[in-house]
Amino acid sequence: MPVESGSGVAARQAKQKRKSHSLSIRRTNSTEQDRAGMQRDMLESQESKLPMNVRGNLLDLFGQIEREFENLYIENLELRREIETLNERLAAEGQAIDGSDLTKGPLKAKASHSTSQLSQKLKTTYKASTSKIVSSFKATTSRAVCQLVKEYVGHRDGIWDLSITRTQPVVLGTASADHNAMLWSIETGKCLLKYIGHAGSVNSIKFHPTEQMALTASGDQTAHIWRYMVQLPTPQLVADVSVNCDEDVDFSDKDEADGEVDGPSEVPTIRVASTTLKSHQGVVIAADWLVGGKQVVTASWDRTANLYEVETSELVHSLTGHDQELTHCCTHPTQRLVVTSSRDTTFRLWDFRDPSIHSVNVFQGHTDTVTSAVFTVGDNVVSGSDDRTVKVWDLKNMRSPIATIRTDSAINRISVSVNQRIIALPHDNRQVRLFDMSGVRLARLPRSNRQGHRRMVCCTAWCEDNPSCNLFSCGFDRQAIGWNINITALLQEK
């Protein structure tokens, strides 16, 4: 009597299963009408505000959905049975050829597949372990790179801008939305002087290159020049609060209460400016001194930048051309050059080296608001934007940037160190990152629990002549922070 082969048995079993599957579907369909009738009777017996035709249509739709799910459930059961049958056949064949060469036939493919899965799992585990080891090494070395030295707390609202004096004594200046500008002792964190002459938010502060004068821009549509005299207190020993540059622990909402502090009491106060510049028809968002300190430039939301004589307060030039509000202005440290940035996605270079004429060059490359553009000591301009990029430009070739830094958050007022040409990027997401001019990331300043900024970081400023604090940042958490960046170790890690 002929014996039926294994493949024939499997085919006959599959045919029987398909037949039983189709019978079960037919049985299901045969009872659908009876079930629908029963459901309609139950529906009619229930009270509802829906019309009967709408209720009937809903019932038909739900019935169709139920049938689809039932069919899928039956098919799933049949597939599971077939898989179990195939697994049993593979197990039986493996026992039948026990002791033979397992590297032949279907078992070879199965073994190869299992081996590849194991290899991939090993690679993934090894990669994860290696990453953890590298991260631990980086954390150890970074402790010597970034240190939080001092926090300057006293403003009652967010701090938009900060700057370092260029003359002795070296102090920190902050401009805040609370209508005040303050001068601070860098070493002690004590407020030395408060300027309250503005009637609106103080958006910018810059110091004269050779004299004890400050220039502030405000939302009251004016810019003020005021003189100051401060006496530094005796420095006190501060505890080492160094933290890991890559530590990242979010703050809880309860930390909001930490910002509610009283402003500095019993400090000298200046109420009246020595010079008021008021030719703008909108918010003055930024201002800066030209080289030599005899002229200043202001940038406004009225889409213009103005050039003034300091001694006479005379308006020399009104710089027009931007299509939308200006966001920032900056002057070259050694040449009569001005750069203005705008919400129109461009920034413009204004050349005043020739007294008889001033030329204009437009830089295009960003896709969103250019929040700031600053000069370097060389022939470069660095621009930051809400499009989450920073671009480095060569003044001799303005068609395209020579380097582009892509980040994960909008960038505010950037700063570039004079000696090492390191770019400090303040972000909307509370981070401060350091890059070199070629776009290589060097470090990220701490943003851990009760360390670093708790809100948007608005501005950064370098002060490389100070041995204790050489980088400052301020944010909308109402505080400024002084950092010690070990630049030598930073460059070695790169």
Side-chain angles (χ1 to χ4, degrees), residues 351-415:
D351 191 347
F352 298 103
R353 289 176 291 189
D354 187 349
S356 61
I357 187 173
H358 62 274
S359 60
V360 183
N361 295 297
V362 182
F363 289 76
Q364 297 176 333
H366 289 287
T367 60
D368 206 339
T369 298
V370 182
T371 53
S372 65
V374 298
F375 290 100
T376 66
V377 175
D379 294 328
N380 296 118
V381 173
V382 184
S383 60
S385 172
D386 280 344
D387 65 6
R388 304 182 180 182
T389 66
V390 172
K391 296 180 184 291
V392 182
W393 307 79
D394 188 349
L395 293 179
K396 300 176 182 178
N397 180 16
M398 300 173 294
R399 294 183 178 179
S400 61
I402 59 177
T404 299
I405 301 170
R406 303 188 185 280
T407 67
D408 59 354
S409 179
I411 295 135
N412 298 309
R413 294 183 178 178
I414 60 179
S415 62

Side-chain angles (χ1 to χ4, degrees), residues 50-110:
L50 292 175
M52 286 302 301
N53 58 342
V54 176
R55 298 171 67 187
N57 291 335
L58 288 175
L59 184 59
D60 291 339
L61 292 174
F62 286 131
Q64 294 176 15
I65 294 172
E66 183 182 3
R67 288 193 297 272
E68 291 294 331
F69 274 104
E70 188 175 8
N71 293 337
L72 289 174
Y73 178 73
I74 294 172
E75 291 180 2
N76 188 24
L77 291 178
E78 295 298 332
L79 289 173
R80 286 187 178 182
R81 292 193 189 99
E82 291 183 5
I83 291 173
E84 291 175 358
T85 303
L86 291 174
N87 287 336
E88 292 175 358
R89 286 183 55 195
L90 286 174
E93 291 179 3
Q95 293 175 358
I97 58 174
D98 187 24
S100 62
D101 189 2
L102 297 179
T103 61
K104 297 180 181 180
L107 291 183
K108 180 180 179 180
K110 184 179 179 181

Side-chain angles (χ1 to χ4, degrees), residues 408-426:
D408 59 354
S409 179
I411 295 135
N412 298 309
R413 294 183 178 178
I414 60 179
S415 62
V416 182
S417 65
V418 176
N419 298 331
Q420 301 295 335
R421 292 162 61 87
I422 298 175
I423 311 170
L425 310 184

Side-chain angles (χ1 to χ4, degrees), residues 10 53 70 88 108-109 123 188 210 234 237 262 271 309 321 370 375 390 458 492:
N53 58 342
E70 188 175 8
E88 292 175 358
K108 180 180 179 180
K123 287 180 180 179
T188 65
T210 58
T234 303
L237 295 176
D262 293 332
R271 300 177 181 273
E309 287 286 347
V370 182
F375 290 100
V390 172
C458 300
Q492 287 177 352

Side-chain angles (χ1 to χ4, degrees), residues 241 332 354 485 490:
V241 289
H332 195 280
D354 187 349
I485 310 299
L490 192 69

Side-chain angles (χ1 to χ4, degrees), residues 166-386:
R166 308 186 202 181
T167 59
Q168 295 295 331
V170 178
V171 296
L172 170 69
T174 55
S176 171
D178 63 5
H179 301 189
N180 298 328
M182 294 183 182
L183 304 186
W184 307 81
S185 167
I186 294 177
E187 284 74 18
T188 65
K190 179 181 178 181
C191 180
L192 306 175
L193 185 145
K194 180 164 63 171
Y195 178 72
I196 60 174
H198 282 292
S201 169
V202 185
N203 302 319
S204 171
I205 182 169
K206 289 292 184 292
F207 293 102
H208 193 278
T210 58
E211 300 181 34
Q212 291 188 352
M213 290 195 298
L215 170 66
T216 51
S218 173
D220 60 12
Q221 304 184 6
T222 67
H224 290 182
I225 298 174
W226 42 278
R227 292 184 176 273
Y228 63 89
M229 291 184 64
V230 293
Q231 183 176 2
L232 295 179
T234 303
Q236 300 175 353
L237 295 176
V238 294
D240 183 12
V241 289
S242 59
V243 289
N244 181 7
C245 276
D246 286 312
E247 188 177 5
D248 188 7
V249 181
D250 288 338
F251 286 89
S252 60
D253 293 337
K254 65 182 180 180
D255 290 333
E256 275 294 304
D258 297 341
E260 300 291 339
V261 296
D262 293 332
S265 58
E266 298 181 358
V267 298
T269 301
I270 299 177
R271 300 177 181 273
V272 181
S274 58
T275 302
T276 300
L277 309 174
K278 46 183 180 181
S279 299
H280 285 291
Q281 303 300 316
V283 169
V284 183
I285 195 65
D288 202 357
W289 303 85
L290 264 72
V291 58
K294 295 182 179 180
Q295 291 180 325
V296 298
V297 62
T298 57
S300 172
W301 283 4
D302 63 9
R303 306 184 183 184
T304 65
N306 288 344
L307 184 66
Y308 296 92
E309 287 286 347
V310 173
E311 186 175 353
T312 63
S313 304
E314 178 187 358
L315 175 62
V316 180
H317 290 294
S318 184
L319 311 178
T320 60
H322 283 291
D323 295 330
Q324 296 188 39
E325 295 90 339
L326 273 65
T327 58
H328 191 245
C329 66
C330 181
T331 60
H332 195 280
T334 59
Q335 303 182 59
R336 290 177 55 81
L337 298 174
V338 176
V339 63
T340 57
S341 53
S342 170
R343 292 184 59 189
D344 62 10
T345 73
T346 70
F347 65 95
R348 293 176 176 241
L349 174 67
W350 311 83
D351 191 347
F352 298 103
R353 289 176 291 189
D354 187 349
S356 61
I357 187 173
H358 62 274
S359 60
V360 183
N361 295 297
V362 182
F363 289 76
Q364 297 176 333
H366 289 287
T367 60
D368 206 339
T369 298
V370 182
T371 53
S372 65
V374 298
F375 290 100
T376 66
V377 175
D379 294 328
N380 296 118
V381 173
V382 184
S383 60
S385 172
D386 280 344

Side-chain angles (χ1 to χ4, degrees), residues 133-147 242-246 442-444 484-494:
I133 295 173
V134 172
S135 299
S136 64
F137 286 154
K138 187 174 182 180
T140 303
T141 56
S142 296
R143 291 183 183 277
V145 176
C146 303
Q147 293 182 357
S242 59
V243 289
N244 181 7
C245 276
D246 286 312
L442 303 177
R444 184 186 68 195
N484 179 265
I485 310 299
N486 189 331
I487 296 180
T488 301
L490 192 69
L491 297 177
Q492 287 177 352
E493 284 192 3
K494 180 182 75 169

